[in-house]
Each structure stands twice: as C-alpha cells, then as structure tokens.
Amino acid sequence: DRLAHALAAGQRDRRRVAVFFIDLDGFGRINDSLGHDLGDELLRQVAGRLRASCHASDEPPLPGPRSEVARMGGDEFTVLLSAMTEADEAVALARRILTMFARHFTLGSHEVFVTPSIGIAVSPDDGDDAETLLTHADTAMYEAKTQGGNGYQLYSRSMNTTALQRLTLESDLRRALEREELVLHYQPIVDTTSGAIVGAEALVRWRHPTLGLLMPGEFIAIAEENGLIVSVGDWVLRTACAQNRAWQRAGLPPIRVVVNLSGRQLRQGTLTDTVQAALEASGLEPRWLGLELTESMLMERQHEGVAALQALRAMGLRLSIDDFGTGYSSLSYLKHFPVDTLKIDRCFVRDLTSVPDDAAITSAIIAMAHALDLKVVAEGVETEGHLTFLRSQGCDEVQGHLLGRPVEEDRFAEWLARPRPGLRSRRPAERSA
Ligand code: C2E
Ligand code: MG
Ligand code: MG
C-alpha cells in the first residue's frame, strides 16, 4: 500500500522510488544452532539496524528521499525509498546498510555476524508498479546472493534477458512443468454493483530455482516462440479448473475462473479437446470457466479460430476479449466472434480521472458493448476515483489493485470466504462508519 502510494506520488512529482529486497545470509544456520528465541532476537536487532541505516543523520532533510523498513516474513526485509531524484541515492543507502552489518550482533552470551544480500529495483526504469518492482528487487537479491552475499545488486533487465539466460530459460522451461515450478496466482474480479467477488483471473508465474519469481512478461514470449506455450496453457487450464472445483467443494461461493489463452493454443486446433479434458478431469461445470483472447488472436485466425470458439461457447464457457482498445478495436468484427465480454485495457483506466479522452473512450466502449449485449470488465482499477467513474458508466465488473492483487490460492480462498465483502470493506484503512 505504501509502495503504491509512493509510486503514485513519484509519478506526479517525477521522482524515483527504490525498492530494496533484503535477505540475510546464513540466518537459518544461526536460527538452528542458537534456537528460535535468539533467532527472533536477532531479527529484532537486524530491524533496528535497518531502521537506523535509513534514518542516518547524514540523510538530507525533507524534501529529500524518505525511507521505510518492512519485514516481509522470515528473514526477508524490504526498504522503500521514495521521492528520490537519482538512483545513486539508493546505492548510498545500500552502502550504509552494509556498513551497519559489519559489526557483530550480541545475542545473550553469543556474538554473531550476519550479512545482508540486497537487491534493488528503481522506478520507473525497472518497473512502474509495485508487483513488478518487488519481483525485480527479488531477482536482483538472488543475483547478490549468487555473488556470495554481503552485497547489493541493482536490477538490470539483462539479468532476465541476456542471450545466455534466455537459452537456459528455454531449456529450464521444458523442465519447469515436470518440476512443478509453475504456479497460478488469482486476482479477484468484482461485481461493480454488489461488490461481491464473481470471478478470478488465473495468472501464471514461474518459481525459477535461481532467478526467483518470474512474471509472465518474462517467459510467455519465449514459450510462444518455442511452442511450449501449448503445454503451459494445458497446465494452466487443468490447474485453474481443478482449483476452482476445489473451492466449490470446500463450500465457498461459486465463481468463474478465467484463463488467458495464447494465439498458438487457438491455432493448434486441439483447444476444445483440451478444455473439455480439463473440465472432465476436475468435474467443473463449463459455466464456471472463462477464456480470455486478444483482438490480434481473433484477427489472425478468422476462420479456424471461430469454429473452436463457437464450440466452446456452445459448451457454456464465457469468452472475453482482453486488453480491448489496444488493438484493432473494430466494432464490426465483434459481431463475427462469439464473445460475451469485453475487458477494457488498463491503459485507459489508468488515466481515467486525468485524461478526458480516456474517460470518453472508456464511456464509449461501455456504451457500445452494452448495445451489442456484451458485458464489460475494467482492469487495472487502482483508485476509488477509477471505481466511481466506472460505476457511474455502468461498467459491470472491475479488477485491479484496489480490489485485490493476484494472490496464491489460500489467500484467495480467505477472500472468498469472507461474507460478501462489498467494495468498500476491501479497504480497512477507510472509515468504517
Ligand atoms: P492480462 O491478461 O491483461 O492480465 C492483467 C495483468 O495486469 C496482470 O499482470 C495483473 O497482475 C496486472 N494488473 C492487475 N491489476 C492491476 C492494477 O491495478 N494495476 C496494474 N498496473 N496492473 C494490474 P501479469 O500477471 O504480469 O500478466 C501479464 C500478462 O501475461 C497478462 O495480461 C496475460 O496477457 C499474460 N498471461 C498471464 N498468465 C497467462 C497464462 O496463463 N497464459 C497466457 N497465454 N498468458 C498469460
Ligand atoms: Mg487477461
Ligand atoms: Mg488485460
């Protein structure tokens, strides 16, 4: 939440925000040998030193950069450095932290040394949203660890995409499925009127053994090039269906899970069989599954694709067009495709409240979609302002950080289990009058 605020403020003031991902080297060993009580004590002292590094007296007074420390769990900490002008300011802080750890810690009668591995990602170059920045800081932290620990690394795009790594990514991906390294995160889709969670978008992530958590932007394109996307897509469909059925069996309110398709899956000609198999294996009724396609996928394969989509639609699946507004956005073709939902791309939503054109386009898309008897979902809803506008325009469903980020299945189940939350109570910080 703080990070999101800092990013929003940074965008306004054209200032940078840095995220540090810090993991202690060898903490597990200390914890195991000295016991958990002393381990906890060490974490408290580490937190104290991190805070002290952030508020060192040589830090320029306001309005210079501001920093905050958080513990993410275990021996992982993050530092948020906001309102920076130069990335150097982050490096200076990293150095200060390392100096602070050069001194031993006293735990009872023991003197121990523990060092940090620090990964740093800086907005806007390394990402402009919280999830991306954290992921990239995490990747950089892994790099710092690989270099032997007790150091810092700035994230660089090349960490994920050098030719060499790309090569290994490609062969790693072949084994990722067997090794069960892929995971799905689920992001709530909320009914604009009732505030109830009515769906979840399944978003794939890859827990890479050395690179950390990879986002789809970092490997889907590779999977598309080498054809592995078909196996990845099968896995996503089977997992999402099984998960949705498991939630239903657990007595949670039934929702629709939507899965993103890639063009290659549609071209393959086996999509209907794959979907049918996933439904049968899980016992999920087709009406609880949705598929998202992009405009370009539909344009590419007018004829072959349509038959498959028609078959799926006839089975009772819900089909939506993802990222609507970024492609051809042709009204006439909508009539040729058996879709029932348009998903407005988040680039329009982002500037809804500041760019009049985007507000006009969004209203027009909603009105047009309704005239064609299509439902409208808006993605990337981040602020109350976005929500208020979309609600006033009759947008049916919303998805975005305001309503909930993509999370693991357990966390999502907790959200589902809450008595009809309503859009407002998702924000506990607000007045509860
Ligand atoms: P998408 O289908 O448009 O998914 C929405 C993306 O927007 C997700 O990114 C989500 O985390 C992000 N997002 C959601 N709410 C907000 C918000 O309020 N603000 C901002 N800034 N972003 C928000 P993610 O998970 O990185 O996915 C990126 C893209 O990767 C997806 O875009 C989709 O095209 C593709 N993808 C994800 N999972 C799969 C999959 O299983 N198969 C295929 N073929 N593609 C996938
Ligand atoms: Mg999508
Ligand atoms: Mg989208």
Side-chain angles (χ1 to χ4, degrees):
D1 188 36
R2 301 270 177 86
L3 178 51
H5 273 102
L7 287 167
Q11 248 166 22
R12 264 199 321 272
D13 311 339
R14 304 200 175 281
R15 301 285 201 95
R16 294 169 187 277
V17 173
V19 176
F20 290 41
F21 211 100
I22 304 175
D23 190 276
L24 302 179
D25 307 319
F27 175 76
R29 231 177 31 243
I30 296 173
N31 209 24
D32 288 342
S33 57
L34 299 184
H36 288 203
D37 286 347
L38 289 183
D40 287 353
E41 173 57 21
L42 176 58
L43 289 177
R44 275 190 288 273
Q45 293 189 24
V46 163
R49 282 196 198 176
L50 285 175
R51 248 185 267 135
S53 337
C54 287
H55 304 127
S57 50
D58 59 344
E59 191 173 333
L62 296 175
R66 285 183 289 286
S67 48
E68 291 190 69
V69 183
R71 174 163 169 251
M72 303 303 274
D75 60 344
E76 291 177 339
F77 293 84
T78 53
V79 172
L80 164 64
L81 188 63
S82 46
M84 308 186 332
T85 38
E86 295 298 334
D88 289 359
E89 291 160 352
V91 171
L93 177 56
R95 292 228 170 90
R96 221 149 57 211
I97 293 174
L98 290 172
T99 326
M100 284 283 201
F101 281 79
R103 218 167 9 100
H104 69 262
F105 290 84
T106 308
L107 300 173
S109 55
H110 305 273
E111 286 186 1
V112 302
F113 284 92
V114 66
T115 54
S117 290
I118 308 173
I120 307 172
V122 183
S123 77
D125 307 16
D126 301 338
D128 56 11
D129 68 85
E131 208 186 354
T132 311
L133 276 178
L134 277 167
T135 310
H136 287 164
D138 192 18
T139 304
M141 186 278 290
Y142 263 87
E143 187 63 25
K145 277 246 185 272
T146 318
Q147 313 263 317
N150 195 21
Y152 67 87
Q153 280 291 324
L154 289 164
Y155 175 79
S156 76
R157 222 155 277 279
S158 61
M159 271 173 202
N160 288 327
T161 53
T162 56
L164 191 67
Q165 268 170 338
R166 214 183 137 85
L167 211 80
T168 45
L169 272 190
E170 219 171 286
S171 49
D172 287 1
L173 190 55
R174 285 178 203 284
R175 279 167 306 184
L177 283 157
E178 303 163 19
R179 293 180 185 156
E180 300 184 28
E181 289 169 4
L182 295 184
V183 286
L184 288 184
H185 283 185
Y186 298 89
Q187 184 174 34
I189 301 173
V190 168
D191 183 281
T192 317
T193 328
S194 72
I197 296 177
V198 290
E201 178 167 9
L203 296 158
V204 69
R205 276 96 181 86
W206 178 9
R207 290 196 185 288
H208 191 282
T210 52
L211 296 173
L213 190 69
L214 299 182
M215 303 302 276
E218 294 167 298
F219 64 91
I220 287 289
I222 299 176
E224 257 159 17
E225 272 170 42
N226 64 20
L228 277 173
I229 190 67
V230 176
S231 317
V232 171
D234 281 7
W235 179 86
V236 170
L237 270 167
R238 274 184 287 115
T239 309
C241 289
Q243 183 57 65
N244 199 15
R245 187 69 190 110
W247 284 328
Q248 292 180 353
R249 289 216 165 95
L252 294 163
I255 58 161
R256 182 182 68 248
V257 166
V258 301
V259 165
N260 294 283
L261 290 185
S262 107
R264 197 122 173 188
Q265 285 171 281
L266 196 57
R267 259 173 272 149
Q268 189 83 357
T270 52
L271 184 64
T272 32
D273 294 342
T274 311
V275 168
Q276 197 121 39
L279 290 170
E280 267 162 28
S282 60
L284 187 74
E285 287 174 56
R287 63 182 165 134
W288 302 119
L289 177 64
L291 301 176
E292 293 193 355
L293 313 122
T294 59
E295 296 171 61
S296 55
M297 279 166 59
L298 294 179
M299 303 305 282
E300 261 168 37
R301 285 282 141 173
Q302 297 248 2
H303 308 294
E304 293 90 329
V306 175
L309 295 178
Q310 253 146 8
L312 290 166
R313 178 83 182 283
M315 282 164 59
L317 270 76
R318 183 149 148 187
L319 303 181
S320 34
I321 299 195
D322 204 354
D323 306 332
F324 188 79
T326 58
Y328 302 87
S329 308
S330 138
L331 309 187
S332 62
Y333 84 76
L334 282 178
K335 289 199 299 194
H336 300 299
F337 297 103
V339 295
D340 25 43
T341 308
L342 286 193
K343 204 161 182 183
I344 305 177
D345 191 71
R346 59 177 188 273
C347 71
F348 296 109
V349 176
R350 188 183 56 213
D351 297 326
L352 263 188
T353 41
S354 52
V355 179
D357 277 356
D358 285 356
I361 291 171
T362 303
S363 310
I365 293 178
I366 296 172
M368 171 207 73
H370 283 164
L372 290 170
D373 226 7
L374 299 170
K375 277 196 175 265
V376 188
V377 185
E379 67 182 357
V381 177
E382 293 186 349
T383 68
E384 290 288 346
H386 295 161
L387 180 59
T388 309
F389 180 84
L390 290 163
R391 197 191 267 136
S392 75
Q393 299 302 307
C395 181
D396 304 278
E397 293 169 6
V398 281
Q399 177 183 352
H401 293 168
L402 179 72
L403 297 319
R405 289 165 184 275
V407 292
E408 286 170 16
E409 64 270 11
D410 299 0
R411 184 85 181 283
F412 193 88
E414 285 169 25
W415 289 351
L416 262 187
R418 281 201 297 233
R420 297 280 135 161
L423 287 169
R424 308 233 140 236
S425 56
R426 283 268 321 107
R427 318 213 74 206
E430 270 181 16
R431 271 177 298 120
S432 55

